[in-house]
Amino acid sequence: MEETPCGFNSHRPHMPKTLKIIPLGGLGEVGRNTLLFEYGKSILIIDLGFRLPEEDMPGIDYIIPNLSYLKGKEKNILGIIFTHGHYDHIGAIPYLIQKLKNPPLYAANLTRGIILKRQEDFPLQPKLEIKKIKDGSKINLGPFKIECFRQNHNIADNLGFLIKTPVGNIFHSSDFKFDPNPVYDQPTDFKKLKEIANKKILLLLSDSVGAENEGHSLSEKTILENLDEIFKKAKGRIIAATFASLINRIQQIISLSEKYQRKVIVEGYSMKTNVQIARELGYLKAKKGTLISAKEIDRFPDSKITVLCTGAQGEGQAVLMRIANKDHPFIRLKKGDTIIFSSSVVPGNERTVQILKDELYRQGAKVFHYKMMDIHAGGHAQAEELKKLIKILKPKFFLPIHGQYSMLIAHAQLAREMQIPEKNIVVVENGKVVNLQKNKIWVEKREVPSSYVMVDGLGIGDVGEVVLRDRQTLAKDGMFVIVVVVERQTGRVRGSPDIISRGFVYLRESKELLAQTRKKTVEIVERATGSGGAVNWAYVKDEIRNKIGDFLFTKTQRRPMILPVVIEV
Ligand SMILES: [Zn+2]
């Protein structure tokens, strides 16, 4: 079936036009990393983000979207447009952009600045060219006519998109919340949203991250007031940890510090970088002399110091953890310090954050957490706002994006409450292909590749399921190496097998177990080699691996990774 570039089927002119929408990305978070639109041979991509690994993925830095579906279709990519500068929307660019053969990129000023700055950390990568877009910009990419509009979030320059396609108009919400009283940003422009609604929305793609939370997200103004309360009462130093990309929050903390005559020390590579870009581009304001370096901390009384740092997620290498572990070159905790965690805990990090909090208390600090006080607004619209957006736009079809599966389901429920018929709502996970026509939406049976692509150091995608499983085994039960020297002629074991083990048992206290294992190994090898002749060495190794594995399991209830080394002499 040949299709013309506009997607119109030349042989069967009556076939309705179809647009394909495919969410791609790592793990559960659907369409958060990347969303693909395909019409005939034209492809449009929104966002290219990464996800942090789960706790059971040792050594993995990031998970990036699986773009195998685009292999061979690179020339069809008309452009990639970015919603905002959070890493879960832009972080995969350095790993994927060359594979995509450098298509045209579009981003708002701050988003662009963050992307370009991060690209400098990858010196082997080409310099990127990114066209600037802003509220009101129009981009024409083949069958896709895109209009950009401002959406409130917790970073400046966040854009939603109205995508006009031959099938109908699609509204992409980006990450968003409605904020009547934002700080250092304009309030939500409901007039504009109503204007867009008048253009008739066929499909709404809306942020689901806050869908499970009732009510309305907190206004940034409320957060500022609560933070002010903490600043007013703090006698010693304030150490505020937040995400490096929460530029609004960083601004609030800097402004409050100025209000209470505190100097601000910005610590953490990503935090420093973001503060620098945001200041250069005018998105962050600090008076001359407010920001000082960590080395100068002792030049000022404790009551005049704020430390703004990374590590609110308990990340091992981040600043707050290093301070707690007495590992930071200039900053040690003192009694009377006030620590503010001003960011929600990313699911999966709860335990590490708890351990960090305990350690901070142990050293005499006062800890304020978002659960105790509303000092962090998620940045994501909650149930009432999500319903309001549906009410304003009155879309025919609804596809929840951005979030874990349970959030998508909760969001779909809200859409039903807003009278969108069941058959007009689709909930899909990554790799599913959604077909959209003027009067119909449905999901294809096939799936495009969506397995994890893991980044470990310089390697992209080379750590697959097998390597990961090995790492999990090593982390769980350690490893056990058995070295056997076998005479090729006779198939007999020479001497006693050598055993090296890490993370399994303490060898010196397990002499009996080791002696039994050696004996067992000799038996297994000699049975497997038979009585001379051609020996299948792979079989011998498998036998050692399986039988010694079973043996150790019966003795210890542990399954270390067994590495047989057979040396023929
Ligand atoms: Zn975001």
Side-chain angles (χ1 to χ4, degrees):
M1 205 160 69
E2 268 275 303
E3 284 184 317
T4 60
C6 72
F8 188 76
N9 188 303
S10 52
H11 300 303
R12 294 162 62 190
H14 296 299
M15 193 147 129
K17 300 165 179 179
T18 307
L19 172 76
K20 292 185 191 306
I21 302 168
I22 310 174
L24 291 169
L27 290 157
E29 293 214 339
V30 172
R32 188 168 183 73
N33 294 328
T34 296
L35 205 53
L36 212 125
F37 296 77
E38 190 175 21
Y39 185 77
K41 279 191 173 151
S42 304
I43 293 175
L44 167 71
I45 298 174
I46 296 185
D47 288 343
L48 218 49
F50 67 46
R51 262 204 81 162
L52 295 173
E54 306 280 293
E55 278 177 304
D56 64 350
M57 296 182 177
I60 301 301
D61 302 326
Y62 311 115
I63 297 157
I64 56 174
N66 186 331
L67 298 185
S68 334
Y69 177 71
L70 293 172
K71 220 170 171 185
K73 294 184 169 192
E74 295 84 356
K75 61 179 187 316
N76 301 345
I77 304 171
L78 302 176
I80 308 181
I81 49 178
F82 295 97
T83 53
H84 64 292
H86 284 158
Y87 283 169
D88 51 348
H89 295 260
I90 60 162
I93 297 173
Y95 307 108
L96 293 174
I97 205 69
Q98 274 179 303
K99 279 198 184 122
L100 296 179
K101 309 261 157 74
N102 302 303
L105 308 177
Y106 300 85
N109 199 21
L110 179 62
T111 313
R112 182 175 175 274
I114 295 172
I115 296 172
L116 292 178
K117 183 80 194 172
R118 182 147 185 275
Q119 197 73 2
E120 290 172 11
D121 294 344
F122 298 79
L124 298 176
Q125 291 274 322
K127 242 182 112 60
L128 295 178
E129 255 187 62
I130 307 172
K131 296 188 183 80
K132 258 192 227 177
I133 49 176
K134 59 175 200 262
D135 182 31
S137 292
K138 292 188 175 153
I139 317 165
N140 280 343
L141 297 173
F144 307 104
K145 314 262 180 271
I146 303 140
E147 291 180 27
C148 311
F149 54 90
R150 203 167 57 66
Q151 283 279 73
N152 284 109
H153 188 33
N154 44 24
I155 185 166
D157 269 1
N158 180 41
L159 294 175
F161 302 118
L162 173 68
I163 308 161
K164 296 181 174 171
T165 77
V167 174
N169 292 338
I170 300 173
F171 185 104
H172 186 294
S173 73
S174 178
D175 279 354
F176 84 103
K177 64 173 174 179
F178 289 149
D179 196 341
N181 294 301
V183 176
Y184 318 109
D185 198 1
Q186 297 166 58
T188 303
D189 187 352
F190 288 106
K191 208 177 127 234
K192 172 88 188 183
L193 289 177
K194 280 175 193 149
E195 269 171 42
I196 294 174
N198 287 337
K199 295 178 184 170
K200 243 179 115 182
I201 303 301
L202 180 67
L203 172 68
L204 168 60
L205 306 167
S206 184
D207 175 12
S208 310
V209 175
E212 290 176 308
N213 304 324
E214 285 172 20
H216 199 288
S217 66
L218 279 179
S219 169
E220 291 290 326
K221 188 170 160 245
T222 313
I223 299 163
L224 184 65
E225 286 160 6
N226 289 334
L227 283 171
D228 195 318
E229 215 38 49
I230 299 174
F231 268 76
K232 201 186 291 172
K233 288 186 186 137
K235 301 258 179 322
R237 301 176 305 180
I238 290 177
I239 300 175
T242 189
F243 288 119
S245 58
L246 278 184
I247 306 287
N248 279 6
R249 194 62 35 81
I250 294 172
Q251 176 73 72
Q252 288 164 350
I253 289 162
I254 291 176
S255 300
L256 283 171
S257 299
E258 288 174 342
K259 180 173 170 190
Y260 293 97
Q261 292 94 44
R262 286 174 181 265
K263 300 286 178 193
V264 180
I265 296 165
V266 179
E267 275 296 281
Y269 178 73
S270 52
M271 183 80 84
K272 276 187 176 150
T273 319
N274 277 358
V275 165
Q276 191 199 335
I277 307 161
R279 283 188 82 195
E280 277 169 19
L281 299 174
Y283 291 87
L284 194 68
K285 297 197 168 52
K287 288 184 191 140
K288 215 172 157 232
T290 297
L291 302 182
I292 60 167
S293 79
K295 280 184 220 149
E296 300 173 86
I297 191 162
D298 293 327
R299 287 184 40 219
F300 300 90
D302 288 351
S303 60
K304 296 296 165 213
I305 291 285
T306 301
V307 178
L308 189 50
C309 66
T310 54
Q313 300 298 317
E315 307 97 308
Q317 287 314 304
V319 178
L320 190 56
M321 190 65 106
R322 278 166 50 213
I323 295 176
N325 289 340
K326 307 188 170 79
D327 210 13
H328 192 279
F330 305 107
I331 306 166
R332 288 279 176 282
L333 281 176
K334 295 184 196 171
K335 221 176 158 72
D337 283 347
T338 296
I339 317 259
I340 304 172
F341 283 79
S342 189
S343 64
S344 56
V345 176
V346 172
N349 293 344
E350 293 90 351
R351 261 177 51 207
T352 15
V353 171
Q354 182 59 44
I355 292 167
L356 174 60
K357 255 168 41 184
D358 287 345
E359 189 49 42
L360 296 170
Y361 275 118
R362 248 175 234 129
Q363 297 182 35
K366 224 178 174 170
V367 180
F368 288 92
H369 201 257
Y370 81 107
K371 273 186 186 154
M372 301 175 188
M373 246 179 125
D374 292 331
I375 46 180
H376 174 68
H380 299 276
Q382 298 183 8
E384 289 314 310
E385 293 150 274
L386 295 171
K387 288 203 284 196
K388 189 167 175 180
L389 183 67
I390 295 172
K391 193 175 169 192
I392 294 171
L393 296 175
K394 296 187 188 61
K396 186 175 174 74
F397 299 114
F398 180 67
L399 173 63
I401 54 168
H402 296 186
Q404 305 285 345
Y405 195 66
S406 66
M407 300 165 183
L408 304 179
I409 295 289
H411 204 176
Q413 177 56 32
L414 297 175
R416 275 190 291 272
E417 285 171 31
M418 296 313 289
Q419 319 308 331
I420 297 190
E422 180 80 47
K423 64 175 187 1
N424 290 3
I425 301 171
V426 283
V427 175
V428 290
E429 296 197 80
N430 288 324
K432 288 284 186 186
V433 181
V434 177
N435 282 266
L436 180 68
Q437 288 177 355
K438 227 169 88 197
N439 293 308
K440 204 166 133 195
I441 191 165
W442 76 99
V443 183
E444 286 181 24
K445 281 217 172 62
R446 68 162 173 160
E447 259 175 66
V448 310
S450 64
S451 59
Y452 315 153
V453 179
M454 290 172 269
V455 179
D456 179 4
L458 292 177
I460 301 163
D462 60 337
V463 175
E465 305 273 320
V466 176
V467 176
L468 193 64
R469 208 178 321 121
D470 284 354
R471 287 185 186 176
Q472 287 163 349
T473 311
L474 288 172
K476 221 171 94 213
D477 290 320
M479 67 173 217
F480 198 86
V481 183
I482 307 171
V483 187
V484 214
V485 181
V486 184
E487 292 175 4
R488 195 177 307 143
Q489 295 295 325
T490 60
R492 298 193 65 83
V493 174
R494 190 183 283 180
S496 176
D498 265 332
I499 290 174
I500 308 157
S501 151
R502 289 288 181 273
F504 168 57
V505 288
Y506 187 46
L507 291 184
R508 278 196 205 161
E509 288 170 2
S510 315
K511 288 213 170 86
E512 178 60 29
L513 179 69
L514 296 184
Q516 287 175 8
T517 309
R518 283 198 189 92
K519 199 167 148 243
K520 195 110 192 134
T521 308
V522 174
E523 284 169 25
I524 293 166
V525 172
E526 292 187 349
R527 202 175 313 129
T529 52
S531 48
V535 172
N536 181 345
W537 296 104
Y539 170 71
V540 174
K541 281 190 198 171
D542 278 347
E543 282 287 290
I544 299 175
R545 193 177 296 121
N546 295 335
K547 295 208 162 124
I548 294 298
D550 290 345
F551 172 70
L552 292 177
F553 185 73
T554 53
K555 293 283 176 190
T556 63
Q557 297 288 307
R558 299 177 199 172
R559 285 206 180 277
M561 177 183 292
I562 294 175
L563 302 171
V565 179
V566 177
I567 301 167
E568 304 164 52
V569 291

